[in-house]
């Protein structure tokens, strides 16, 4: 169950090294959202700096019929004190179609080597477990479940995301 709307937003990591955060991330678990229901497997995000100094976002996945689904957007840092809170926008996507607006992406936990990340939003409605690799060992999964709890969320509302070379089924993260 998501946190009540009156709860304080989750805390960002104390400092995000944006340069280290750039690159390819595999989605290994997520709180289901309308925009990712089309994705059957191999969901990933590629982040790079754009000409304005913002982060270009290129999300892709394999759909249920085996085709490629992709979307490009922009992430703008909204909290320069930590660089860990951003506004992600995608043209044509309701509530996310404008670059200007409130924070909707908070990095709340990171692996020591930026090998995994936990991302949510101020209301904890969305959530994503990202990894540099398509598979994690049990120690990493335990750390991620603990980070979800610290962020005020329940790991059972996160569903695993099948990846080639990683988990092949969809299951509540609390059962992994």
């Amino acid at each position: 169950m998501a946190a009540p709307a009156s709860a304080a937003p989750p805390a960002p990591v104390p400092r995000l090294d944006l340069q280290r955060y750039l690159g390819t991330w595999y989605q290994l678990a997520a709180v289901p959202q309308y925009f990712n229901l089309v994705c059957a497997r191999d969901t990933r995000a590629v982040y790079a700096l754009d000409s304005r100094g913002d982060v270009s976002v290129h999300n892709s996945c394999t759909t249920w019929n085996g085709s490629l689904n992709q979307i490009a957007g922009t992430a703008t840092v909204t909290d320069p004190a930590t660089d860990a809170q951003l506004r992600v926008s995608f043209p044509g996507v309701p509530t996310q179609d404008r670059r200007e607006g409130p924070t909707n992406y908070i990095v709340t936990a990171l692996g020591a080597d930026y090998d995994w990340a936990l991302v949510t939003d101020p209301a904890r409605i969305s959530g994503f477990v990202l990894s540099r690799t398509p598979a994690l060992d049990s120690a990493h999964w335990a750390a991620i479940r603990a980070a979800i709890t610290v962020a005020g969320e329940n790991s059972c509302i996160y569903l695993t995301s099948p990846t080639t070379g990683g988990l092949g089924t969809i299951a509540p993260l609390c059962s992994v």
Side-chain angles (χ1 to χ4, degrees):
M1 174 173 259
S6 61
V13 294
R15 185 76 186 149
L16 179 70
D17 181 339
L18 202 51
Q19 286 295 325
R20 287 183 72 191
Y21 197 73
L22 300 175
T24 300
W25 290 95
Y26 297 86
Q27 177 184 296
L28 300 189
V31 175
Q33 300 292 311
Y34 70 91
F35 52 80
N36 66 7
L37 294 177
V38 68
C39 295
R41 63 182 316 101
D42 298 324
T43 301
R44 64 184 87 177
V46 177
Y47 302 137
L49 283 183
D50 70 13
S51 61
R52 291 176 51 169
D54 290 328
V55 178
S56 67
V57 178
H58 182 258
N59 291 347
S60 64
C61 70
T62 301
T63 67
W64 296 97
N65 68 8
S67 64
L68 178 66
N69 182 28
Q70 52 190 344
I71 190 168
T74 303
T76 304
V77 172
T78 58
D79 174 18
T82 68
D83 283 345
Q85 298 185 82
L86 301 101
R87 166 70 181 182
V88 180
S89 59
F90 295 100
V93 175
T95 74
Q96 295 182 346
D97 58 345
R98 297 182 59 214
R99 286 176 80 126
E100 306 80 29
T103 296
N104 60 2
Y105 185 106
I106 303 171
V107 180
T108 62
L110 279 169
D113 294 324
Y114 282 62
D115 53 347
W116 63 267
L118 177 65
V119 177
T120 189
D121 65 83
R124 298 178 180 88
I125 294 169
S126 66
F128 304 93
V129 174
L130 306 175
S131 172
R132 295 295 189 176
T133 60
L136 293 173
D137 61 25
S138 60
H140 281 99
W141 281 118
I144 290 165
R145 286 190 301 274
I148 289 170
T149 299
V150 168
E153 295 180 288
N154 179 341
S155 64
C156 291
I157 65 168
Y158 282 75
L159 298 181
T160 58
S161 302
T163 56
T164 301
L167 296 174
T169 59
I170 298 171
L173 185 53
C174 61
S175 68
V176 172

